[in-house]
Amino acid sequence: MSLRPILVTDYDPAWPVTFEKLRKKIWPAVKGFAKSIEHVGSTAVPGLAAKPIIDMSIIVSSPAQTTRAVKGLASQKYEHLGDLGIQGREAFRHPKGRPNHNLYVCLEGSLALVNHLAVRDYLRAHPEVVQRYGALKRRLAREFPHDINRYVEGKTDLLVGVLRQVGLSRDQLMAIKDVNRKLE
């Protein structure tokens, strides 16, 4: 249970602008080895209702580069939170004074990254699904305003359906379902 209510708002065209400002601040800490910094999550999909929190993934190609990213981000006052139970993805708490965002370092090819990029790209190409997904998120936020685990679990079937459409294997889909159910 969370003390702060889950807030889902209309899409804000300022979200990509905020992402780009954050990316420009973070990039110097990882530019010598990272492949890119991607805007992922719901705020990366035009027209999608979302929690107003920018999700960002720094893509690296090896575990050694993940270690370098942890050190580089520490120099910018990001707090390393570990993988939070999701293999191939390291999470960070942003420094005070920066816009609200989630920052991850993801190993290229990891299921966590494949999941984020596949969902983002599919939704960008399918506005009819964006509308259904936005309505689902609003309903879940109303039903479970202080329970992020039930909110996430409630979105799982729709997201797994999207991932099935883009060709993820049965094992990959089951792994994603399992992670979403273990967030408690």
mmCIF file of all heavy atoms in Angstrom, residues 84-89 109-120 133 149 151-184:
data_model
loop_
_atom_site.group_PDB
_atom_site.id
_atom_site.type_symbol
_atom_site.label_atom_id
_atom_site.label_comp_id
_atom_site.label_asym_id
_atom_site.label_seq_id
_atom_site.Cartn_x
_atom_site.Cartn_y
_atom_site.Cartn_z
ATOM 1 N N LEU A 84 15.790 -4.441 -8.087
ATOM 2 C CA LEU A 84 14.404 -4.498 -7.604
ATOM 3 C C LEU A 84 13.678 -5.747 -8.114
ATOM 4 O O LEU A 84 12.488 -5.708 -8.413
ATOM 5 C CB LEU A 84 13.638 -3.226 -7.989
ATOM 6 C CG LEU A 84 14.232 -1.896 -7.503
ATOM 7 C CD1 LEU A 84 13.384 -0.731 -7.974
ATOM 8 C CD2 LEU A 84 14.396 -1.878 -5.999
ATOM 9 N N GLY A 85 14.431 -6.839 -8.239
ATOM 10 C CA GLY A 85 13.836 -8.108 -8.639
ATOM 11 C C GLY A 85 13.673 -8.298 -10.135
ATOM 12 O O GLY A 85 13.060 -9.276 -10.561
ATOM 13 N N ILE A 86 14.192 -7.381 -10.936
ATOM 14 C CA ILE A 86 14.052 -7.487 -12.389
ATOM 15 C C ILE A 86 15.437 -7.629 -13.004
ATOM 16 O O ILE A 86 16.215 -6.670 -13.052
ATOM 17 C CB ILE A 86 13.285 -6.277 -12.967
ATOM 18 C CG1 ILE A 86 11.884 -6.228 -12.342
ATOM 19 C CG2 ILE A 86 13.224 -6.379 -14.486
ATOM 20 C CD1 ILE A 86 11.046 -5.061 -12.750
ATOM 21 N N GLN A 87 15.733 -8.830 -13.454
ATOM 22 C CA GLN A 87 17.053 -9.159 -14.003
ATOM 23 C C GLN A 87 17.339 -8.334 -15.259
ATOM 24 O O GLN A 87 16.476 -8.129 -16.106
ATOM 25 C CB GLN A 87 17.099 -10.642 -14.332
ATOM 26 C CG GLN A 87 18.449 -11.131 -14.733
ATOM 27 C CD GLN A 87 18.452 -12.639 -14.938
ATOM 28 O OE1 GLN A 87 17.422 -13.302 -14.948
ATOM 29 N NE2 GLN A 87 19.642 -13.177 -15.098
ATOM 30 N N GLY A 88 18.585 -7.828 -15.337
ATOM 31 C CA GLY A 88 19.007 -7.063 -16.515
ATOM 32 C C GLY A 88 18.659 -5.596 -16.453
ATOM 33 O O GLY A 88 18.844 -4.869 -17.426
ATOM 34 N N ARG A 89 18.141 -5.141 -15.300
ATOM 35 C CA ARG A 89 17.733 -3.752 -15.145
ATOM 36 C C ARG A 89 18.109 -3.261 -13.758
ATOM 37 O O ARG A 89 17.723 -3.859 -12.760
ATOM 38 C CB ARG A 89 16.224 -3.628 -15.337
ATOM 39 C CG ARG A 89 15.736 -2.189 -15.337
ATOM 40 C CD ARG A 89 14.242 -2.108 -15.215
ATOM 41 N NE ARG A 89 13.890 -2.189 -13.785
ATOM 42 C CZ ARG A 89 12.669 -2.048 -13.316
ATOM 43 N NH1 ARG A 89 11.655 -1.871 -14.114
ATOM 44 N NH2 ARG A 89 12.442 -2.118 -12.022
ATOM 45 N N GLY A 109 19.205 -6.381 -24.883
ATOM 46 C CA GLY A 109 18.691 -7.735 -25.057
ATOM 47 C C GLY A 109 17.993 -8.304 -23.841
ATOM 48 O O GLY A 109 17.370 -9.365 -23.928
ATOM 49 N N SER A 110 18.075 -7.623 -22.695
ATOM 50 C CA SER A 110 17.401 -8.129 -21.486
ATOM 51 C C SER A 110 15.889 -8.086 -21.693
ATOM 52 O O SER A 110 15.363 -7.250 -22.435
ATOM 53 C CB SER A 110 17.789 -7.304 -20.263
ATOM 54 O OG SER A 110 17.263 -5.988 -20.371
ATOM 55 N N LEU A 111 15.202 -8.989 -21.024
ATOM 56 C CA LEU A 111 13.754 -9.037 -21.144
ATOM 57 C C LEU A 111 13.120 -7.736 -20.669
ATOM 58 O O LEU A 111 12.143 -7.267 -21.255
ATOM 59 C CB LEU A 111 13.197 -10.239 -20.369
ATOM 60 C CG LEU A 111 11.693 -10.481 -20.502
ATOM 61 C CD1 LEU A 111 11.278 -10.622 -21.966
ATOM 62 C CD2 LEU A 111 11.286 -11.705 -19.690
ATOM 63 N N ALA A 112 13.675 -7.119 -19.638
ATOM 64 C CA ALA A 112 13.141 -5.847 -19.140
ATOM 65 C C ALA A 112 13.155 -4.791 -20.235
ATOM 66 O O ALA A 112 12.175 -4.061 -20.431
ATOM 67 C CB ALA A 112 13.954 -5.373 -17.936
ATOM 68 N N LEU A 113 14.254 -4.695 -20.964
ATOM 69 C CA LEU A 113 14.359 -3.699 -22.036
ATOM 70 C C LEU A 113 13.482 -4.074 -23.224
ATOM 71 O O LEU A 113 12.772 -3.217 -23.769
ATOM 72 C CB LEU A 113 15.811 -3.530 -22.471
ATOM 73 C CG LEU A 113 16.034 -2.483 -23.564
ATOM 74 C CD1 LEU A 113 15.611 -1.091 -23.091
ATOM 75 C CD2 LEU A 113 17.495 -2.482 -24.007
ATOM 76 N N VAL A 114 13.512 -5.334 -23.615
ATOM 77 C CA VAL A 114 12.675 -5.785 -24.728
ATOM 78 C C VAL A 114 11.217 -5.461 -24.435
ATOM 79 O O VAL A 114 10.487 -4.946 -25.297
ATOM 80 C CB VAL A 114 12.877 -7.301 -24.983
ATOM 81 C CG1 VAL A 114 11.818 -7.858 -25.924
ATOM 82 C CG2 VAL A 114 14.272 -7.553 -25.535
ATOM 83 N N ASN A 115 10.786 -5.724 -23.217
ATOM 84 C CA ASN A 115 9.420 -5.443 -22.780
ATOM 85 C C ASN A 115 9.102 -3.954 -22.966
ATOM 86 O O ASN A 115 8.118 -3.598 -23.619
ATOM 87 C CB ASN A 115 9.290 -5.865 -21.316
ATOM 88 C CG ASN A 115 7.949 -5.571 -20.695
ATOM 89 O OD1 ASN A 115 7.007 -5.142 -21.344
ATOM 90 N ND2 ASN A 115 7.867 -5.781 -19.395
ATOM 91 N N HIS A 116 9.930 -3.076 -22.398
ATOM 92 C CA HIS A 116 9.656 -1.633 -22.474
ATOM 93 C C HIS A 116 9.621 -1.118 -23.908
ATOM 94 O O HIS A 116 8.719 -0.358 -24.274
ATOM 95 C CB HIS A 116 10.692 -0.851 -21.668
ATOM 96 C CG HIS A 116 10.392 -0.813 -20.217
ATOM 97 N ND1 HIS A 116 11.349 -0.538 -19.273
ATOM 98 C CD2 HIS A 116 9.245 -1.003 -19.529
ATOM 99 C CE1 HIS A 116 10.800 -0.564 -18.078
ATOM 100 N NE2 HIS A 116 9.528 -0.857 -18.201
ATOM 101 N N LEU A 117 10.598 -1.496 -24.703
ATOM 102 C CA LEU A 117 10.658 -0.981 -26.075
ATOM 103 C C LEU A 117 9.529 -1.540 -26.939
ATOM 104 O O LEU A 117 8.927 -0.806 -27.735
ATOM 105 C CB LEU A 117 12.020 -1.289 -26.702
ATOM 106 C CG LEU A 117 13.225 -0.607 -26.044
ATOM 107 C CD1 LEU A 117 14.513 -1.052 -26.723
ATOM 108 C CD2 LEU A 117 13.092 0.912 -26.052
ATOM 109 N N ALA A 118 9.219 -2.829 -26.763
ATOM 110 C CA ALA A 118 8.160 -3.446 -27.569
ATOM 111 C C ALA A 118 6.801 -2.829 -27.261
ATOM 112 O O ALA A 118 6.036 -2.509 -28.189
ATOM 113 C CB ALA A 118 8.130 -4.955 -27.339
ATOM 114 N N VAL A 119 6.500 -2.636 -25.990
ATOM 115 C CA VAL A 119 5.213 -2.032 -25.625
ATOM 116 C C VAL A 119 5.151 -0.594 -26.139
ATOM 117 O O VAL A 119 4.157 -0.193 -26.762
ATOM 118 C CB VAL A 119 4.975 -2.091 -24.098
ATOM 119 C CG1 VAL A 119 3.792 -1.227 -23.696
ATOM 120 C CG2 VAL A 119 4.766 -3.536 -23.649
ATOM 121 N N ARG A 120 6.194 0.178 -25.907
ATOM 122 C CA ARG A 120 6.208 1.571 -26.382
ATOM 123 C C ARG A 120 5.982 1.636 -27.891
ATOM 124 O O ARG A 120 5.107 2.379 -28.369
ATOM 125 C CB ARG A 120 7.540 2.226 -26.029
ATOM 126 C CG ARG A 120 7.651 3.667 -26.523
ATOM 127 C CD ARG A 120 9.061 4.177 -26.563
ATOM 128 N NE ARG A 120 9.847 3.487 -27.593
ATOM 129 C CZ ARG A 120 11.151 3.635 -27.740
ATOM 130 N NH1 ARG A 120 11.839 4.421 -26.925
ATOM 131 N NH2 ARG A 120 11.792 2.982 -28.691
ATOM 132 N N TYR A 133 -6.018 1.166 -23.333
ATOM 133 C CA TYR A 133 -5.052 1.089 -22.238
ATOM 134 C C TYR A 133 -5.207 2.286 -21.302
ATOM 135 O O TYR A 133 -5.195 2.129 -20.080
ATOM 136 C CB TYR A 133 -3.637 0.995 -22.820
ATOM 137 C CG TYR A 133 -2.553 0.763 -21.801
ATOM 138 C CD1 TYR A 133 -2.741 -0.038 -20.682
ATOM 139 C CD2 TYR A 133 -1.299 1.339 -21.978
ATOM 140 C CE1 TYR A 133 -1.723 -0.251 -19.770
ATOM 141 C CE2 TYR A 133 -0.276 1.129 -21.071
ATOM 142 C CZ TYR A 133 -0.492 0.341 -19.970
ATOM 143 O OH TYR A 133 0.514 0.139 -19.062
ATOM 144 N N ASN A 149 0.538 -2.344 -6.403
ATOM 145 C CA ASN A 149 0.651 -3.736 -6.839
ATOM 146 C C ASN A 149 -0.595 -4.194 -7.582
ATOM 147 O O ASN A 149 -0.500 -4.841 -8.623
ATOM 148 C CB ASN A 149 0.942 -4.642 -5.645
ATOM 149 C CG ASN A 149 2.265 -4.313 -5.017
ATOM 150 O OD1 ASN A 149 3.236 -4.030 -5.701
ATOM 151 N ND2 ASN A 149 2.304 -4.312 -3.690
ATOM 152 N N TYR A 151 -2.726 -2.206 -9.048
ATOM 153 C CA TYR A 151 -2.740 -1.382 -10.261
ATOM 154 C C TYR A 151 -1.882 -2.046 -11.353
ATOM 155 O O TYR A 151 -2.340 -2.239 -12.486
ATOM 156 C CB TYR A 151 -2.233 0.023 -9.926
ATOM 157 C CG TYR A 151 -2.028 0.928 -11.101
ATOM 158 C CD1 TYR A 151 -3.098 1.623 -11.670
ATOM 159 C CD2 TYR A 151 -0.768 1.098 -11.657
ATOM 160 C CE1 TYR A 151 -2.901 2.457 -12.756
ATOM 161 C CE2 TYR A 151 -0.559 1.936 -12.739
ATOM 162 C CZ TYR A 151 -1.636 2.623 -13.286
ATOM 163 O OH TYR A 151 -1.436 3.451 -14.366
ATOM 164 N N VAL A 152 -0.653 -2.423 -11.006
ATOM 165 C CA VAL A 152 0.250 -3.061 -11.980
ATOM 166 C C VAL A 152 -0.320 -4.395 -12.430
ATOM 167 O O VAL A 152 -0.353 -4.706 -13.623
ATOM 168 C CB VAL A 152 1.667 -3.223 -11.384
ATOM 169 C CG1 VAL A 152 2.531 -4.113 -12.264
ATOM 170 C CG2 VAL A 152 2.323 -1.863 -11.195
ATOM 171 N N GLU A 153 -0.779 -5.197 -11.487
ATOM 172 C CA GLU A 153 -1.332 -6.505 -11.841
ATOM 173 C C GLU A 153 -2.538 -6.361 -12.765
ATOM 174 O O GLU A 153 -2.718 -7.144 -13.696
ATOM 175 C CB GLU A 153 -1.717 -7.287 -10.585
ATOM 176 C CG GLU A 153 -2.109 -8.708 -10.896
ATOM 177 C CD GLU A 153 -2.340 -9.546 -9.652
ATOM 178 O OE1 GLU A 153 -1.703 -9.287 -8.622
ATOM 179 O OE2 GLU A 153 -3.173 -10.467 -9.734
ATOM 180 N N GLY A 154 -3.348 -5.329 -12.550
ATOM 181 C CA GLY A 154 -4.526 -5.104 -13.388
ATOM 182 C C GLY A 154 -4.192 -4.765 -14.828
ATOM 183 O O GLY A 154 -5.013 -4.976 -15.730
ATOM 184 N N LYS A 155 -3.008 -4.251 -15.067
ATOM 185 C CA LYS A 155 -2.578 -3.910 -16.429
ATOM 186 C C LYS A 155 -1.907 -5.081 -17.140
ATOM 187 O O LYS A 155 -1.739 -5.057 -18.362
ATOM 188 C CB LYS A 155 -1.577 -2.740 -16.399
ATOM 189 C CG LYS A 155 -2.110 -1.466 -15.808
ATOM 190 C CD LYS A 155 -1.118 -0.333 -15.904
ATOM 191 C CE LYS A 155 0.274 -0.678 -15.467
ATOM 192 N NZ LYS A 155 1.248 0.384 -15.671
ATOM 193 N N THR A 156 -1.543 -6.099 -16.397
ATOM 194 C CA THR A 156 -0.694 -7.165 -16.926
ATOM 195 C C THR A 156 -1.300 -7.880 -18.126
ATOM 196 O O THR A 156 -0.622 -8.096 -19.129
ATOM 197 C CB THR A 156 -0.340 -8.166 -15.811
ATOM 198 O OG1 THR A 156 0.402 -7.467 -14.810
ATOM 199 C CG2 THR A 156 0.487 -9.321 -16.334
ATOM 200 N N ASP A 157 -2.570 -8.261 -18.074
ATOM 201 C CA ASP A 157 -3.149 -9.021 -19.186
ATOM 202 C C ASP A 157 -3.128 -8.224 -20.481
ATOM 203 O O ASP A 157 -2.798 -8.769 -21.543
ATOM 204 C CB ASP A 157 -4.566 -9.478 -18.861
ATOM 205 C CG ASP A 157 -4.596 -10.611 -17.837
ATOM 206 O OD1 ASP A 157 -3.553 -11.278 -17.654
ATOM 207 O OD2 ASP A 157 -5.653 -10.812 -17.214
ATOM 208 N N LEU A 158 -3.456 -6.947 -20.438
ATOM 209 C CA LEU A 158 -3.417 -6.129 -21.650
ATOM 210 C C LEU A 158 -1.993 -6.046 -22.192
ATOM 211 O O LEU A 158 -1.760 -6.223 -23.390
ATOM 212 C CB LEU A 158 -3.964 -4.718 -21.388
ATOM 213 C CG LEU A 158 -4.082 -3.862 -22.644
ATOM 214 C CD1 LEU A 158 -5.330 -3.011 -22.603
ATOM 215 C CD2 LEU A 158 -2.862 -2.983 -22.842
ATOM 216 N N LEU A 159 -1.040 -5.813 -21.307
ATOM 217 C CA LEU A 159 0.352 -5.677 -21.752
ATOM 218 C C LEU A 159 0.901 -6.998 -22.287
ATOM 219 O O LEU A 159 1.625 -7.008 -23.292
ATOM 220 C CB LEU A 159 1.217 -5.147 -20.613
ATOM 221 C CG LEU A 159 0.884 -3.720 -20.194
ATOM 222 C CD1 LEU A 159 1.666 -3.325 -18.949
ATOM 223 C CD2 LEU A 159 1.135 -2.744 -21.327
ATOM 224 N N VAL A 160 0.555 -8.095 -21.666
ATOM 225 C CA VAL A 160 0.992 -9.397 -22.171
ATOM 226 C C VAL A 160 0.368 -9.656 -23.540
ATOM 227 O O VAL A 160 1.020 -10.209 -24.440
ATOM 228 C CB VAL A 160 0.679 -10.517 -21.157
ATOM 229 C CG1 VAL A 160 0.812 -11.898 -21.781
ATOM 230 C CG2 VAL A 160 1.595 -10.388 -19.946
ATOM 231 N N GLY A 161 -0.866 -9.223 -23.737
ATOM 232 C CA GLY A 161 -1.497 -9.344 -25.057
ATOM 233 C C GLY A 161 -0.732 -8.559 -26.114
ATOM 234 O O GLY A 161 -0.538 -9.041 -27.237
ATOM 235 N N VAL A 162 -0.288 -7.365 -25.770
ATOM 236 C CA VAL A 162 0.531 -6.567 -26.692
ATOM 237 C C VAL A 162 1.826 -7.308 -27.001
ATOM 238 O O VAL A 162 2.231 -7.431 -28.165
ATOM 239 C CB VAL A 162 0.826 -5.165 -26.092
ATOM 240 C CG1 VAL A 162 1.956 -4.465 -26.836
ATOM 241 C CG2 VAL A 162 -0.432 -4.309 -26.086
ATOM 242 N N LEU A 163 2.479 -7.814 -25.982
ATOM 243 C CA LEU A 163 3.752 -8.504 -26.173
ATOM 244 C C LEU A 163 3.585 -9.798 -26.970
ATOM 245 O O LEU A 163 4.476 -10.187 -27.725
ATOM 246 C CB LEU A 163 4.417 -8.762 -24.822
ATOM 247 C CG LEU A 163 4.841 -7.485 -24.092
ATOM 248 C CD1 LEU A 163 5.221 -7.783 -22.651
ATOM 249 C CD2 LEU A 163 5.969 -6.785 -24.828
ATOM 250 N N ARG A 164 2.444 -10.449 -26.826
ATOM 251 C CA ARG A 164 2.144 -11.644 -27.629
ATOM 252 C C ARG A 164 2.039 -11.237 -29.104
ATOM 253 O O ARG A 164 2.553 -11.920 -29.988
ATOM 254 C CB ARG A 164 0.855 -12.295 -27.149
ATOM 255 C CG ARG A 164 0.545 -13.626 -27.811
ATOM 256 C CD ARG A 164 -0.704 -14.297 -27.228
ATOM 257 N NE ARG A 164 -0.499 -14.663 -25.836
ATOM 258 C CZ ARG A 164 -1.167 -14.137 -24.802
ATOM 259 N NH1 ARG A 164 -2.092 -13.232 -24.998
ATOM 260 N NH2 ARG A 164 -0.921 -14.525 -23.568
ATOM 261 N N GLN A 165 1.394 -10.088 -29.350
ATOM 262 C CA GLN A 165 1.246 -9.591 -30.727
ATOM 263 C C GLN A 165 2.591 -9.301 -31.385
ATOM 264 O O GLN A 165 2.734 -9.485 -32.588
ATOM 265 C CB GLN A 165 0.406 -8.298 -30.745
ATOM 266 C CG GLN A 165 -1.047 -8.480 -30.446
ATOM 267 C CD GLN A 165 -1.750 -9.242 -31.562
ATOM 268 O OE1 GLN A 165 -1.544 -8.996 -32.736
ATOM 269 N NE2 GLN A 165 -2.583 -10.194 -31.176
ATOM 270 N N VAL A 166 3.564 -8.833 -30.608
ATOM 271 C CA VAL A 166 4.861 -8.496 -31.195
ATOM 272 C C VAL A 166 5.805 -9.698 -31.255
ATOM 273 O O VAL A 166 6.914 -9.580 -31.769
ATOM 274 C CB VAL A 166 5.550 -7.305 -30.489
ATOM 275 C CG1 VAL A 166 4.699 -6.052 -30.602
ATOM 276 C CG2 VAL A 166 5.889 -7.604 -29.060
ATOM 277 N N GLY A 167 5.356 -10.859 -30.743
ATOM 278 C CA GLY A 167 6.110 -12.077 -30.954
ATOM 279 C C GLY A 167 6.967 -12.565 -29.805
ATOM 280 O O GLY A 167 7.836 -13.429 -30.014
ATOM 281 N N LEU A 168 6.757 -12.071 -28.598
ATOM 282 C CA LEU A 168 7.513 -12.628 -27.479
ATOM 283 C C LEU A 168 7.103 -14.084 -27.262
ATOM 284 O O LEU A 168 5.947 -14.457 -27.496
ATOM 285 C CB LEU A 168 7.287 -11.818 -26.204
ATOM 286 C CG LEU A 168 8.332 -10.715 -25.959
ATOM 287 C CD1 LEU A 168 8.246 -9.630 -26.997
ATOM 288 C CD2 LEU A 168 8.214 -10.153 -24.577
ATOM 289 N N SER A 169 8.034 -14.882 -26.811
ATOM 290 C CA SER A 169 7.777 -16.308 -26.603
ATOM 291 C C SER A 169 6.901 -16.526 -25.366
ATOM 292 O O SER A 169 6.785 -15.647 -24.506
ATOM 293 C CB SER A 169 9.101 -17.054 -26.427
ATOM 294 O OG SER A 169 9.665 -16.739 -25.154
ATOM 295 N N ARG A 170 6.369 -17.721 -25.283
ATOM 296 C CA ARG A 170 5.546 -18.092 -24.121
ATOM 297 C C ARG A 170 6.357 -17.946 -22.836
ATOM 298 O O ARG A 170 5.854 -17.440 -21.830
ATOM 299 C CB ARG A 170 5.038 -19.524 -24.288
ATOM 300 C CG ARG A 170 4.079 -19.958 -23.205
ATOM 301 C CD ARG A 170 3.580 -21.389 -23.479
ATOM 302 N NE ARG A 170 2.460 -21.770 -22.674
ATOM 303 C CZ ARG A 170 2.492 -21.993 -21.366
ATOM 304 N NH1 ARG A 170 3.601 -21.845 -20.696
ATOM 305 N NH2 ARG A 170 1.402 -22.363 -20.708
ATOM 306 N N ASP A 171 7.618 -18.384 -22.848
ATOM 307 C CA ASP A 171 8.470 -18.285 -21.662
ATOM 308 C C ASP A 171 8.708 -16.823 -21.282
ATOM 309 O O ASP A 171 8.685 -16.479 -20.089
ATOM 310 C CB ASP A 171 9.813 -18.980 -21.890
ATOM 311 C CG ASP A 171 9.688 -20.501 -21.923
ATOM 312 O OD1 ASP A 171 8.635 -21.026 -21.482
ATOM 313 O OD2 ASP A 171 10.634 -21.150 -22.385
ATOM 314 N N GLN A 172 8.937 -15.971 -22.261
ATOM 315 C CA GLN A 172 9.133 -14.548 -21.975
ATOM 316 C C GLN A 172 7.865 -13.940 -21.383
ATOM 317 O O GLN A 172 7.925 -13.175 -20.418
ATOM 318 C CB GLN A 172 9.535 -13.794 -23.249
ATOM 319 C CG GLN A 172 10.927 -14.114 -23.737
ATOM 320 C CD GLN A 172 11.208 -13.497 -25.094
ATOM 321 O OE1 GLN A 172 10.393 -13.595 -26.017
ATOM 322 N NE2 GLN A 172 12.369 -12.864 -25.215
ATOM 323 N N LEU A 173 6.718 -14.287 -21.950
ATOM 324 C CA LEU A 173 5.444 -13.769 -21.438
ATOM 325 C C LEU A 173 5.199 -14.229 -20.006
ATOM 326 O O LEU A 173 4.758 -13.434 -19.162
ATOM 327 C CB LEU A 173 4.291 -14.194 -22.344
ATOM 328 C CG LEU A 173 4.329 -13.653 -23.772
ATOM 329 C CD1 LEU A 173 3.238 -14.293 -24.613
ATOM 330 C CD2 LEU A 173 4.209 -12.132 -23.788
ATOM 331 N N MET A 174 5.493 -15.480 -19.716
ATOM 332 C CA MET A 174 5.308 -15.989 -18.357
ATOM 333 C C MET A 174 6.251 -15.283 -17.387
ATOM 334 O O MET A 174 5.861 -14.969 -16.258
ATOM 335 C CB MET A 174 5.519 -17.510 -18.309
ATOM 336 C CG MET A 174 4.447 -18.306 -19.049
ATOM 337 S SD MET A 174 2.754 -17.911 -18.528
ATOM 338 C CE MET A 174 2.787 -18.485 -16.852
ATOM 339 N N ALA A 175 7.480 -15.020 -17.802
ATOM 340 C CA ALA A 175 8.437 -14.325 -16.938
ATOM 341 C C ALA A 175 7.942 -12.920 -16.615
ATOM 342 O O ALA A 175 8.051 -12.454 -15.472
ATOM 343 C CB ALA A 175 9.813 -14.282 -17.600
ATOM 344 N N ILE A 176 7.383 -12.224 -17.590
ATOM 345 C CA ILE A 176 6.860 -10.879 -17.362
ATOM 346 C C ILE A 176 5.659 -10.932 -16.419
ATOM 347 O O ILE A 176 5.552 -10.126 -15.484
ATOM 348 C CB ILE A 176 6.510 -10.200 -18.700
ATOM 349 C CG1 ILE A 176 7.818 -9.879 -19.446
ATOM 350 C CG2 ILE A 176 5.673 -8.948 -18.489
ATOM 351 C CD1 ILE A 176 7.639 -9.504 -20.894
ATOM 352 N N LYS A 177 4.765 -11.878 -16.625
ATOM 353 C CA LYS A 177 3.620 -12.037 -15.710
ATOM 354 C C LYS A 177 4.109 -12.282 -14.284
ATOM 355 O O LYS A 177 3.590 -11.699 -13.333
ATOM 356 C CB LYS A 177 2.737 -13.208 -16.145
ATOM 357 C CG LYS A 177 1.788 -12.909 -17.250
ATOM 358 C CD LYS A 177 0.901 -14.124 -17.491
ATOM 359 C CE LYS A 177 -0.113 -13.869 -18.563
ATOM 360 N NZ LYS A 177 -1.016 -15.010 -18.771
ATOM 361 N N ASP A 178 5.096 -13.155 -14.144
ATOM 362 C CA ASP A 178 5.619 -13.482 -12.816
ATOM 363 C C ASP A 178 6.203 -12.248 -12.130
ATOM 364 O O ASP A 178 5.974 -12.025 -10.939
ATOM 365 C CB ASP A 178 6.688 -14.576 -12.894
ATOM 366 C CG ASP A 178 6.103 -15.940 -13.195
ATOM 367 O OD1 ASP A 178 4.873 -16.112 -13.081
ATOM 368 O OD2 ASP A 178 6.892 -16.834 -13.559
ATOM 369 N N VAL A 179 6.959 -11.441 -12.855
ATOM 370 C CA VAL A 179 7.550 -10.230 -12.270
ATOM 371 C C VAL A 179 6.453 -9.285 -11.812
ATOM 372 O O VAL A 179 6.504 -8.734 -10.716
ATOM 373 C CB VAL A 179 8.495 -9.530 -13.276
ATOM 374 C CG1 VAL A 179 8.824 -8.125 -12.819
ATOM 375 C CG2 VAL A 179 9.780 -10.343 -13.444
ATOM 376 N N ASN A 180 5.435 -9.088 -12.637
ATOM 377 C CA ASN A 180 4.353 -8.175 -12.269
ATOM 378 C C ASN A 180 3.578 -8.655 -11.050
ATOM 379 O O ASN A 180 3.056 -7.849 -10.291
ATOM 380 C CB ASN A 180 3.398 -7.975 -13.446
ATOM 381 C CG ASN A 180 3.969 -7.072 -14.507
ATOM 382 O OD1 ASN A 180 5.007 -6.435 -14.304
ATOM 383 N ND2 ASN A 180 3.326 -7.006 -15.649
ATOM 384 N N ARG A 181 3.539 -9.948 -10.844
ATOM 385 C CA ARG A 181 2.822 -10.472 -9.675
ATOM 386 C C ARG A 181 3.684 -10.515 -8.422
ATOM 387 O O ARG A 181 3.174 -10.700 -7.332
ATOM 388 C CB ARG A 181 2.281 -11.851 -9.998
ATOM 389 C CG ARG A 181 1.170 -11.739 -11.033
ATOM 390 C CD ARG A 181 0.376 -12.992 -11.202
ATOM 391 N NE ARG A 181 -0.712 -12.749 -12.126
ATOM 392 C CZ ARG A 181 -0.784 -13.245 -13.346
ATOM 393 N NH1 ARG A 181 0.153 -14.050 -13.790
ATOM 394 N NH2 ARG A 181 -1.790 -12.959 -14.125
ATOM 395 N N LYS A 182 5.003 -10.333 -8.568
ATOM 396 C CA LYS A 182 5.908 -10.369 -7.422
ATOM 397 C C LYS A 182 6.248 -8.981 -6.897
ATOM 398 O O LYS A 182 7.080 -8.838 -6.025
ATOM 399 C CB LYS A 182 7.227 -11.059 -7.814
ATOM 400 C CG LYS A 182 7.102 -12.537 -8.018
ATOM 401 C CD LYS A 182 8.428 -13.132 -8.398
ATOM 402 C CE LYS A 182 8.276 -14.584 -8.760
ATOM 403 N NZ LYS A 182 9.492 -15.155 -9.311
ATOM 404 N N LEU A 183 5.605 -7.959 -7.397
ATOM 405 C CA LEU A 183 5.948 -6.597 -6.987
ATOM 406 C C LEU A 183 5.463 -6.265 -5.591
ATOM 407 O O LEU A 183 5.727 -5.194 -5.082
ATOM 408 C CB LEU A 183 5.378 -5.591 -8.001
ATOM 409 C CG LEU A 183 6.030 -5.643 -9.376
ATOM 410 C CD1 LEU A 183 5.319 -4.681 -10.325
ATOM 411 C CD2 LEU A 183 7.501 -5.322 -9.304
ATOM 412 N N GLU A 184 4.753 -7.159 -4.963
ATOM 413 C CA GLU A 184 4.175 -6.873 -3.635
ATOM 414 C C GLU A 184 5.225 -6.686 -2.586
ATOM 415 O O GLU A 184 6.235 -7.220 -2.494
ATOM 416 C CB GLU A 184 3.229 -7.999 -3.243
ATOM 417 C CG GLU A 184 2.112 -8.129 -4.252
ATOM 418 C CD GLU A 184 1.235 -9.336 -4.001
ATOM 419 O OE1 GLU A 184 1.328 -9.981 -2.956
ATOM 420 O OE2 GLU A 184 0.416 -9.621 -4.867
#
